[in-house]
């Protein structure tokens, strides 16, 4: 019997055991101490955790889904300020730093590693149910939050396509009817200074306001291997959010949210750990380059190629209108504007075998959702609605490879030592959908659930690879004079030189001719969910769900010599089978949750490589026909005393590619059936403990620690196989080793929690670890995690 079936059998057996046990009382109070699926009881309590996983407020233990919740105080205690930090404390969530800083996240083995600005994720991100549709826009939203909800498994019926892995919902702290304010100041290693504050209160009888801001400043933490004293990784981030809540009548509630951020930090450089030379003639600058020491801070970079000046702002308006005492009409309108201007170090060397001196882009998104919802007290609860999104995504990239083996070889063989090129992708996306979801209490303790969504998606692109200089020894003339044999005359600066290698005309470009790639992709799908919730006794919920979700197809943003690399990747789908339980035990001092799942993963979207002589391996998007993900999660949340809270989680995931023959992102051509799905550790274990105790009548002390263990994984499909031409061969070049991270905190606070003073440490034992390995043409580079950081924090509330 395989592990997936064994896990499902064990989960069902656990359900039967718990269902036959004695009735136990009430729920665990929210410890504000880490991700938890705790709380909830048959009677509402002030310490119950409330979530909006079904787009209505419900106690967490009434929701028959696997949901991890991190409270606002836990986010502050564990210094969670980004998706990368969140992934370190939420089981089965993995964060990957990409080559251009675009965050990539994988949940239960469902992820899409693609660095284009226009790439949709497989895990959707929301701020108060307002979509942050593209990963680049999600970088700086984790501040002044009430909580974070992580919904696991396909969420297509209520959260739409592009939620095949799940959805993450940031819940911002809301305006208050009484006057409140707070400030947090922190100083740490690398001269890190972080300041965060908020002000909230009434503007009259029917209006409230909340303003919050955060500033992050730090020196560089990476050190150049070739230039002693030169550093990288400087942090300069600025974030702000203003909310205005209005109640013009007893039946209308409005919430205006205007938020944004500016990022002027230095982009991270990879750590060069191997070579995979693509062409026979190589510059001595490459062969004489030294690989990086395997230490957390070690790296190298070309001066001026690690800069950023990016910004995003978003405005949303939510309106809730009570049409009757039992039916509410909700409208959520939003506009988002993101602008990117950065440079990216690609090869981890002080030379340029592959660097991006300029990576500019713009995202503009308009979204609208309208839905009707009835009251939560009804025996039949329903949600019906629709939404619309239109996005414009432009990206322009200048790539510098003047030290690469391609430049040297083409110079020696053809007399064209090509050195750089400019490519762009101008994309438009339009989606509309209609959805419905119902829950029906067949019996007081038995609920049937179902939902569906129809989505219609349209994406178009204009993509081009060009040469802006047009000088005689550059890439444009090489294409026109050599590859095209002069058939189209001399090259004109700025013309698209990639060749239509497809059998039909595309966008007016005939087969065999050069030109701009212009195409449109139209898709539609129907997501659905069905399930059952059973409460055999108070404090115990057993649930089972079957769901199918989709992720939209799309076009890549790549530098290529032919149209084959611009072809779209088709939509992927996941069918999920899941069973689990949530149990409150020992007079609500122990919460025990477990879930087992099996995913049938079809047409997984994959960034891989294409061999395009005489250049070598270049990027392409492909679909993997079939993959399988199976596993289970266990969580225990205990509060044995009023002072001690312990949260422990364990996740097992077996994610395999069943069928795929092609070239992986490392440039290896093989049959990859049976290989591991990237960025998915088989085992993850997390433990968080917090202990508070009085020092005097007015002052308490606290101490806490977190441990997160992840087993090894790979960064590419077939990552256990090194390219035959790569060096050194004595290690897994595309492997991600297992690691354990330990954080700690200790401090004092007032008994009313108005002020706190603490010492903190992250990655306490200075563990060397990395979350990604990328083939950057001639080099192989790791993206390492930060070394040990530590500091002091003070906070005050009124």
């Amino acid at each position: 019997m395989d592990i997936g079936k064994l896990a499902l059998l064990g989960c069902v057996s656990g359900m039967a055991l718990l269902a036959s046990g004695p009735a136990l009382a009430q729920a665990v109070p929210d410890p504000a101490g880490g991700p938890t699926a705790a709380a909830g009881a048959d009677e509402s309590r002030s310490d119950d955790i409330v979530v909006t996983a079904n787009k209505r407020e419900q106690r967490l233990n009434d929701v028959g889904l696997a949901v991890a919740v991190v409270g606002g105080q836990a986010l502050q205690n564990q210094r969670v300020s980004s998706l990368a930090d969140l992934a370190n404390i939420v089981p089965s969530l993995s964060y990957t730093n990409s080559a251009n800083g675009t965050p990539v996240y994988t949940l239960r083995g469902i992820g899409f590693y693609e660095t284009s600005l226009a790439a949709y994720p497989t895990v959707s991100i929301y701020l108060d149910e307002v979509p942050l549709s593209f990963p680049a826009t999600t970088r700086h939203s984790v501040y002044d939050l009430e909580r974070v909800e992580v919904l696991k498994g396909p969420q297509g019926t209520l959260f739409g396509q592009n939620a095949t892995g799940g959805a993450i919902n940031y819940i911002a702290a809301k305006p208050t009817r009484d006057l409140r304010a707070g400030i947090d100041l922190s100083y740490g290693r690398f001269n890190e200074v972080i300041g965060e504050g908020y002000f909230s209160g009434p503007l009259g009888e029917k209006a409230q306001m909340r303003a919050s801001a955060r500033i992050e400043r730090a020196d560089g933490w990476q050190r150049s291997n070739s230039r002693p004293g030169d550093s990288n990784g400087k942090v300069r981030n600025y974030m702000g959010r203003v909310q205005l809540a209005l109640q013009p009548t007893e039946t209308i509630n409005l919430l205006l949210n205007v938020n944004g951020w500016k990022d002027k930090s230095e982009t991270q450089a990879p750590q060069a750990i191997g070579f995979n030379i693509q062409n026979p003639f190589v510059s001595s600058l490459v062969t004489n380059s030294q690989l990086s020491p395997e230490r957390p801070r070690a790296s190298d970079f070309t001066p001026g190629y690690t800069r950023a000046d990016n910004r995003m702002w978003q405005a949303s308006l939510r309106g809730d209108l009570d049409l009757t005492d039992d039916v509410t009409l909700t409208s959520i309108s939003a506009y988002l504007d993101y602008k990117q201007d950065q440079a990216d170090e690609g090869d981890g060397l002080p030379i340029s075998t592959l660097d991006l001196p300029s990576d500019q882009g713009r995202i503009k998104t308009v979204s609208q959702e309208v839905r009707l919802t009835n009251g939560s007290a009804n025996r039949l609860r329903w949600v019906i609605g629709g939404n619309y999104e239109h996005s414009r995504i432009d990206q322009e990239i200048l790539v510098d490879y003047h030290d690469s083996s391609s430049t040297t070889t083409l110079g020696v063989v053809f007399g064209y030592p090509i050195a750089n090129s400019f490519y762009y992708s101008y994309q438009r996306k339009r989606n509309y959908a209609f959805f419905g979801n119902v829950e029906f209490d067949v019996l007081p303790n038995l609920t049937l659930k179902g939902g569906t969504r129809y989505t219609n998606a349209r994406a178009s692109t204009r993509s081009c690879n060009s040469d802006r200089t047009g000088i005689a020894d550059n890439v444009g003339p090489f294409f026109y004079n050599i590859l095209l044999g002069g058939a189209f005359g001399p090259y004109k600066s700025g013309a698209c030189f990639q060749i239509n290698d497809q059998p039909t005309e595309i966008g007016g470009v005939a087969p065999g001719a050069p030109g701009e790639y212009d195409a449109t992709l139209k898709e539609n799908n129907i997501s659905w969910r069905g399930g059952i919730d059973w409460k055999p006794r108070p404090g115990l919920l057993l649930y089972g769900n079957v769901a199918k979700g989709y992720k939209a197809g799309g076009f890549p943003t790549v530098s290529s010599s032919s149209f084959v690399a611009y072809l779209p990747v088709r939509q992927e789908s996941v069918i999920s089978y899941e069973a689990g339980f949530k149990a409150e035990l020992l007079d609500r001092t122990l919460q025990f949750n477990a879930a087992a799942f099996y995913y049938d993963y079809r047409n997984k979207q994959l960034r891989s490589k294409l061999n395009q002589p005489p250049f070598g391996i270049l990027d392409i998007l492909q679909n993997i026909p079939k993959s399988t993900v199976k596993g289970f999660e266990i969580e225990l949340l205990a509060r044995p005393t009023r002072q001690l809270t312990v949260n422990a989680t364990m996740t097992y995931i077996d994610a395999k590619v069943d069928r795929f023959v092609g070239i992986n992102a490392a440039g290896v051509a093989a049959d990859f059936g049976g290989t591991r799905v990237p960025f998915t550790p088989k085992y993850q274990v997390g433990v968080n403990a917090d202990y508070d105790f009085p020092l005097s009548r007015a002052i308490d002390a606290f101490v806490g620690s977190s441990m997160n263990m992840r087993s090894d994984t790979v960064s590419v499909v077939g990552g256990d196989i090194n390219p035959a031409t790569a060096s050194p061969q004595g290690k897994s070049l595309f492997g991600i080793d297992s690691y354990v991270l330990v954080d700690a905190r200790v401090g004092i606070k007032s008994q009313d929690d108005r002020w706190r003073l603490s010492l903190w440490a992250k990655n306490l034992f200075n563990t060397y670890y990395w979350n990604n390995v990328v083939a950057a043409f001639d080099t192989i580079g790791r993206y390492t995690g930060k070394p040990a950081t530590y500091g002091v924090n003070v906070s005050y509330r009124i």
Side-chain angles (χ1 to χ4, degrees):
M1 180 178 293
D2 64 37
I3 190 67
K5 294 178 180 177
L6 183 62
L8 284 168
L9 178 60
C11 194
V12 172
S13 299
M15 290 178 180
L17 177 62
L18 289 166
S20 63
L24 299 172
Q26 309 312 312
V28 179
D30 178 13
T36 173
D42 292 337
E43 295 82 25
S44 177
R45 290 172 41 132
S46 61
D47 52 20
D48 285 337
I49 299 176
V50 176
V51 297
T52 53
N54 289 321
K55 293 203 171 180
R56 65 169 76 238
E57 290 192 347
Q58 295 174 280
R59 290 169 296 157
L60 184 53
N61 264 20
D62 292 338
V63 178
L65 295 170
V67 184
V69 179
V70 190
Q73 188 61 59
L75 294 170
Q76 292 181 357
N77 290 347
Q78 300 183 52
R79 300 188 64 78
V80 175
S81 60
S82 66
L83 270 170
D85 295 332
L86 187 66
N88 280 334
I89 65 171
V90 173
S92 68
L93 177 64
S94 296
Y95 170 87
T96 303
N97 188 26
S98 69
N100 63 359
T102 301
V104 178
Y105 17 93
T106 302
L107 188 55
R108 285 183 172 176
I110 308 298
F112 179 39
Y113 181 81
E114 164 63 332
T115 61
S116 304
L117 285 183
Y120 282 130
T122 58
V123 181
S124 297
I125 308 294
Y126 293 83
L127 176 61
D128 286 336
E129 300 185 29
V130 177
L132 298 169
S133 299
F134 301 95
T137 66
T138 68
R139 290 174 176 151
H140 302 294
S141 297
V142 187
Y143 65 98
D144 194 31
L145 298 181
E146 178 183 314
R147 66 183 183 275
V148 178
E149 302 174 4
V150 181
L151 285 60
K152 303 177 183 180
Q155 304 295 323
T157 56
L158 288 176
F159 289 89
Q161 65 175 3
N162 312 321
T164 44
I168 299 175
N169 201 4
Y170 298 134
I171 310 298
K174 298 300 185 293
T176 54
R177 296 183 182 274
D178 55 338
L179 183 63
R180 298 183 187 182
I183 188 169
D184 289 85
L185 296 174
S186 176
Y187 178 79
R189 191 183 183 191
F190 307 118
N191 287 321
E192 179 188 72
V193 178
I194 297 177
E196 181 176 332
Y198 71 90
F199 177 86
S200 179
L203 296 178
E205 293 184 359
K206 298 183 178 181
Q208 302 84 40
M209 181 272 290
R210 187 183 187 100
S212 55
R214 180 180 173 93
I215 298 175
E216 301 172 345
R217 183 261 181 223
D219 295 337
W221 61 276
Q222 291 188 299
R223 294 187 294 203
S224 169
N225 299 323
S226 62
R227 300 181 303 279
D230 197 359
S231 66
N232 181 57
K234 178 183 72 176
V235 175
R236 299 290 188 274
N237 296 325
Y238 313 91
M239 294 147 264
R241 182 185 301 132
V242 176
Q243 299 175 82
L244 179 63
L246 301 171
Q247 305 85 39
T249 71
E250 292 184 356
T251 60
I252 297 177
N253 287 278
L254 302 174
L255 179 64
L256 174 67
N257 184 329
V258 179
N259 63 87
W261 51 261
K262 190 172 184 64
D263 185 336
K264 294 179 68 68
S265 303
E266 292 175 334
T267 56
Q268 184 175 346
Q271 188 181 79
I273 53 96
F275 292 106
N276 188 23
I277 306 301
Q278 297 297 302
N279 290 282
F281 296 96
V282 188
S283 167
S284 61
L285 291 175
V286 178
T287 56
N288 292 336
S289 294
Q290 299 298 311
L291 297 177
S292 180
E294 296 187 353
R295 297 194 297 266
R297 300 183 64 185
S299 185
D300 223 332
F301 40 92
T302 305
Y305 282 9
T306 59
R307 60 169 182 82
D309 188 1
N310 306 329
R311 59 96 174 139
M312 188 275 285
W313 70 270
Q314 181 191 58
S316 66
L317 177 64
R318 173 171 178 153
D320 292 289
L321 171 62
D322 294 334
L323 299 177
T324 69
D325 291 339
D326 192 53
V327 177
T328 299
L329 173 66
T330 299
S331 170
I332 303 176
S333 309
Y335 175 79
L336 181 146
D337 189 322
Y338 169 81
K339 187 176 182 180
Q340 175 171 294
D341 182 5
Q342 65 183 49
D344 304 307
E345 171 65 35
D347 52 27
L349 299 175
I351 58 176
S352 291
T353 64
L354 183 64
D355 289 327
L356 275 59
S358 177
D359 183 354
Q360 298 185 357
R362 191 75 178 265
I363 299 174
K364 293 184 177 182
T365 297
V366 175
S367 62
Q368 174 67 53
E369 178 170 315
V370 178
R371 65 177 187 257
L372 285 170
T373 310
N374 74 334
S376 299
N378 289 281
R379 184 179 179 188
L380 175 66
R381 297 172 297 281
W382 49 264
V383 179
I384 58 172
N387 56 26
Y388 174 86
E389 176 196 328
H390 184 275
S391 296
R392 170 183 171 181
I393 314 99
D394 298 335
Q395 189 169 13
E396 300 177 344
I397 297 175
L398 177 65
V399 58
D400 179 2
Y401 44 87
H402 69 267
D403 294 316
S404 71
S405 63
S406 178
T407 297
T408 305
T409 299
L410 293 177
V412 171
V413 176
F414 296 102
Y416 288 84
I418 65 176
N420 58 71
S421 61
F422 169 83
Y423 62 98
Y424 66 72
S425 171
Y426 303 145
Q427 299 196 30
R428 306 292 180 265
K429 296 176 183 283
R430 187 273 297 149
N431 306 289
Y432 65 82
F434 305 99
F435 61 88
N437 194 75
V438 297
E439 299 176 345
F440 179 62
D441 296 334
V442 180
L443 299 171
N445 64 347
L446 183 66
T447 302
L448 298 181
K449 308 172 295 182
T452 188
R453 172 187 290 255
Y454 168 79
T455 301
N456 185 289
R458 174 189 171 100
S460 64
T461 188
R462 292 170 45 222
S463 298
C464 175
N465 206 355
S466 67
D467 178 356
R468 286 183 163 181
T469 63
I471 58 178
D473 61 353
N474 220 299
V475 62
F478 171 73
F479 268 74
Y480 270 58
N481 299 341
I482 303 299
L483 296 185
L484 294 169
F488 295 89
Y491 180 75
K492 296 181 180 180
S493 178
C496 302
F497 57 67
Q498 71 265 25
I499 301 169
N500 181 3
D501 57 351
Q502 301 302 297
T504 60
E505 179 181 293
I506 298 179
V509 180
E516 182 183 69
Y517 179 85
D518 187 342
T520 299
L521 175 66
K522 299 178 181 179
E523 296 178 318
N524 59 76
N525 58 70
I526 298 177
S527 300
W528 50 265
R529 174 186 293 274
I532 184 170
D533 294 347
W534 179 37
K535 296 181 178 178
R537 59 175 176 79
L540 175 61
L541 171 67
L542 292 78
Y543 64 89
N545 298 309
V546 181
K548 185 171 186 178
Y550 289 85
K551 179 193 176 300
F555 297 94
T557 302
V558 294
S559 175
S560 180
S561 62
S562 62
F563 277 19
V564 66
Y566 298 100
L567 298 177
V569 65
R570 301 290 174 175
Q571 64 185 2
E572 67 177 39
S573 67
V574 175
I575 298 180
S576 165
Y577 306 88
E578 180 168 344
F581 61 80
K582 301 177 181 181
E584 302 160 357
L585 307 170
L586 303 178
D587 196 22
R588 296 190 73 175
T589 62
L590 178 66
Q591 179 78 28
F592 179 26
N593 306 316
F597 52 89
Y598 178 92
Y599 293 167
D600 185 353
Y601 198 0
R602 301 297 178 113
N603 292 318
K604 171 181 169 60
Q605 297 169 4
L606 177 74
R607 190 177 182 105
S608 57
K609 298 290 184 180
L610 177 71
N611 191 8
Q612 291 193 317
F615 306 102
I617 55 171
L618 301 179
D619 289 337
I620 191 174
L621 292 183
Q622 291 182 295
N623 289 102
I624 294 179
K626 188 179 186 306
S627 305
T628 300
V629 182
K630 50 194 173 183
F632 61 87
E633 299 170 341
I634 299 173
E635 180 176 17
L636 291 172
L637 176 63
R639 194 161 194 171
T641 69
R642 294 182 60 87
Q643 293 78 31
L644 176 63
T645 302
V646 180
N647 177 228
T649 62
M650 185 269 184
T651 301
Y652 171 87
I653 302 176
D654 181 14
K656 293 290 180 63
V657 173
D658 296 326
R659 296 197 307 269
F660 175 56
V661 178
I663 302 176
N664 70 0
V668 176
D671 181 347
F672 295 104
T675 61
R676 294 188 280 177
V677 170
F679 307 116
T680 308
K682 181 166 286 190
Y683 299 99
Q684 297 180 49
V685 176
V687 178
N688 181 81
D690 285 289
Y691 182 64
D692 294 7
F693 56 94
L695 288 180
S696 69
R697 291 183 177 181
I699 298 176
D700 289 347
F702 60 89
V703 61
S705 182
S706 306
M707 183 278 293
N708 183 277
M709 184 281 289
R710 300 191 176 218
S711 62
D712 66 290
T713 182
V714 291
S715 64
V716 299
V717 169
D720 296 307
I721 309 169
N722 287 337
T725 55
S727 64
Q729 285 286 339
K731 59 183 177 182
S732 176
L733 294 172
F734 291 89
I736 299 175
D737 285 357
S738 61
Y739 60 86
V740 177
L741 298 180
V742 176
D743 300 343
R745 52 204 172 267
V746 61
I748 57 174
K749 63 178 182 177
S750 63
Q751 287 197 342
D752 60 5
D753 212 16
R754 292 188 64 180
W755 60 265
R756 285 181 175 234
L757 176 65
S758 63
L759 301 175
W760 56 268
K762 294 179 72 68
N763 190 8
L764 180 62
F765 299 109
N766 201 37
T767 299
Y768 171 60
Y769 71 102
W770 58 97
N771 58 40
N772 196 10
V773 186
V774 174
F777 203 68
D778 287 330
T779 64
I780 301 169
R782 287 176 181 165
Y783 287 86
T784 61
K786 277 191 173 183
T789 55
Y790 37 79
V792 59
N793 184 83
V794 60
S795 65
Y796 185 75
R797 302 285 185 270
I798 60 172

